[in-house]
Amino acid sequence: MINILIFGSGRVGLLTGAMLASSGDYHVHIADIQADRKPLTLGKHAHNLTHCVLDIMKEDNVKAYIKEHNITALAAALPYFLTKKVAEMAKACDTNYFDLTEDVETTKYVETLSQSSDKVFAPQCGLAPGFISVVTNDLVKLFDEAETVKMRVGALPVNISHPLQYALTWSTEGLINEYVKPCEAIEDFKNVTIEPLDDLETIKIDGLTYEAFNTSGGIGSLKDTYKGKVRNINYKSVRYPGHCEKLRFLINDLKLKNKQELLCEIFNNAIPRVEDDVVLVYVSVEGTINGVYSERHFAKKYHSQEAFGQKWSALQLTTACGLCVTIDLALKQAHFKAGFAKQEDITLAQMMDNRFGHYYRYNFLDNCADNPKPELGTNPSKREYI
């Protein structure tokens, strides 16, 4: 039994803990500053999930808990500005480390911490960066020379009437951070910094029209992996048409870019939270295959569903599944070397064939619901790409 301590008992932290505990191979401790025990249906594996009251800022208490419970790994499911503290604790206690951050500065800090560690430090294990990095890397490898890579991800309400054409499905702090921080990309084989909310484009998926624009963090470590190897790589968030124009008014015209707390307050007060959402994952790569200039795509939609007696949004599911797969590959299969682990070190087949990754292929949590386990073993790259 592997003991894991997850900081943050929000929806993603709770779902991650439930998935890992339900496998029977992990005892998950979910820590938060309040004793908030949300009811879950875990059946015979209920004893594998423990809630505890811990404040990551109280280092002595956390270190004592890690030692007492023989914790093997720490995972951060907290707002991005607290993630560094969890990484520091993992380094101090010589444990493995995982997080979901999209924050560029935090990821660079984690990489620095990992350089002298004999444990795995794997940041950016969610959806974007995370699963999108796995898909993109797998698709690029089909090409002899990749010319242009477009990474697009959107988490959207199924039904919407709000003037901003959006609804909240994850951390408001993380969302605002993506909208205001500088974005990274590759242009003409070089790493560049570009402005958020710029380069607005219209895209069509399954006959529906969306817009996409620059947001921070989604490119992940691909900017380093493919520097000097691919001419152009960029990441954009997908939204319903009209969202970007209103964001520009709030953030640029009203000069709220440096007032993130106020923006969070506005968003939390004005934009509803929903559970019925859809996650769009779209990757397009152009380049040369066997001497022929070609284009390949990955396009898929993921939907909300019920598991463990609760309803979970598609964004919560895609994020938690990515974190669980990375943890499982690292701790049960020794997939990563010690030190800094990139999401593109995971193949798409490994991601989708993993017991926690079935949702990415089949849109249901096979490990967590009363669904028959499908036959696996086919190569997703052959089946998913168009």
Side-chain angles (χ1 to χ4, degrees):
M1 186 71 69
I2 298 174
N3 286 284
I4 295 178
L5 176 57
I6 298 176
F7 283 93
S9 64
R11 299 287 288 173
V12 172
L14 190 65
L15 178 57
T16 301
M19 290 177 64
L20 292 172
S22 69
S23 72
D25 290 328
Y26 297 94
H27 189 116
V28 182
H29 306 250
I30 298 183
D32 217 319
I33 58 175
Q34 296 179 344
D36 186 12
R37 298 174 182 267
K38 300 180 178 65
L40 291 171
T41 304
L42 288 175
K44 65 179 180 180
H45 296 296
H47 63 283
N48 290 337
L49 189 64
T50 300
H51 291 264
C52 58
V53 178
L54 279 177
D55 185 346
I56 188 59
M57 304 302 291
K58 297 180 179 180
E59 297 183 4
D60 290 342
N61 292 347
V62 175
K63 288 179 179 178
Y65 192 93
I66 290 172
K67 182 177 181 180
E68 177 184 356
H69 296 278
N70 192 29
I71 300 297
T72 299
L74 304 186
L78 295 168
Y80 75 94
F81 51 83
L82 291 174
T83 301
K84 287 183 181 179
K85 296 299 295 184
V86 182
E88 291 171 352
M89 187 62 62
K91 181 65 178 291
C93 296
D94 194 31
T95 71
N96 298 282
Y97 169 81
F98 307 88
D99 74 38
L100 299 165
T101 190
E102 78 291 333
D103 187 64
V104 174
E105 180 186 348
T106 298
T107 301
K108 291 178 179 178
Y109 185 72
V110 171
E111 184 174 9
T112 300
L113 288 177
S114 72
Q115 291 174 355
S116 57
S117 175
D118 61 353
K119 296 296 190 295
V120 173
F121 275 66
Q124 304 181 323
C125 301
L127 172 62
F131 179 60
I132 187 68
S133 309
V134 175
V135 171
T136 302
N137 185 61
D138 221 62
L139 192 53
V140 168
K141 287 183 176 180
L142 298 178
F143 290 76
D144 302 317
E145 293 183 10
E147 180 77 12
T148 299
V149 178
K150 299 177 181 179
M151 305 164 63
R152 307 289 184 262
V153 173
L156 302 168
V158 174
N159 304 297
I160 190 67
S161 60
H162 192 273
L164 272 176
Q165 299 294 297
Y166 193 64
L168 299 177
T169 56
W170 64 296
S171 163
T172 308
E173 292 86 357
L175 177 68
I176 298 299
N177 191 53
E178 286 188 347
Y179 284 166
V180 303
K181 291 289 184 68
C183 310
E184 297 178 311
I186 295 177
E187 294 181 358
D188 290 327
F189 300 105
K190 298 178 181 179
N191 287 359
V192 298
T193 300
I194 54 181
E195 288 297 312
L197 310 184
D198 276 3
D199 301 320
L200 181 65
E201 67 183 26
T202 299
I203 62 175
K204 289 185 178 293
I205 302 175
D206 288 343
L208 299 178
T209 301
Y210 304 93
E211 67 180 23
F213 50 87
N214 299 339
T215 54
S216 180
I219 192 173
S221 53
L222 289 175
K223 69 184 187 304
D224 300 317
T225 299
Y226 285 113
K227 178 183 178 181
K229 299 176 183 178
V230 175
R231 181 178 293 277
N232 301 301
I233 301 180
N234 59 69
Y235 172 87
K236 298 182 181 182
S237 287
V238 177
R239 298 291 187 263
Y240 291 124
H243 183 69
C244 185
E245 179 184 3
K246 294 178 174 66
L247 286 179
R248 288 173 175 175
F249 173 74
L250 286 170
I251 294 172
N252 297 336
D253 297 342
L254 294 185
K255 303 185 186 303
L256 297 180
K257 184 174 184 177
N258 297 320
K259 297 182 178 180
Q260 293 187 45
E261 290 186 6
L262 177 57
L263 272 174
C264 285
E265 183 178 348
I266 292 172
F267 274 46
N268 285 329
N269 287 337
I271 303 177
R273 289 194 173 272
V274 300
E275 291 181 337
D276 289 318
D277 65 336
V278 58
V279 166
L280 310 178
V281 179
Y282 175 84
V283 180
S284 170
V285 180
E286 298 178 13
T288 303
I289 301 177
N290 297 325
V292 178
Y293 195 73
S294 307
E295 184 175 8
R296 296 289 185 273
H297 303 86
F298 178 100
K300 196 156 186 172
K301 292 183 178 180
Y302 298 92
H303 301 277
S304 58
Q305 72 170 69
E306 293 185 3
F308 307 113
Q310 295 191 20
K311 181 72 173 290
W312 307 91
S313 73
L315 185 57
Q316 292 160 0
L317 288 162
T318 50
T319 302
C321 284
L323 179 56
C324 288
V325 169
T326 306
I327 289 173
D328 204 40
L329 290 175
L331 303 185
K332 292 294 291 184
Q333 301 182 33
H335 177 75
F336 301 99
K337 296 179 181 178
F340 188 73
K342 298 179 179 180
Q343 286 298 294
E344 55 266 33
D345 293 335
I346 305 171
T347 69
L348 186 59
Q350 289 169 331
M351 177 70 75
M352 288 186 167
D353 281 353
N354 184 273
R355 54 182 168 170
F356 300 113
H358 293 163
Y359 176 77
Y360 287 125
R361 182 183 290 183
Y362 300 103
N363 265 305
F364 63 77
L365 291 181
D366 169 73
N367 191 62
C368 310
D370 295 327
N371 292 310
K373 186 172 181 179
E375 292 296 326
L376 300 178
T378 56
N379 185 349
S381 66
K382 299 297 183 183
R383 200 175 66 170
E384 300 288 350
Y385 296 147
I386 57 175

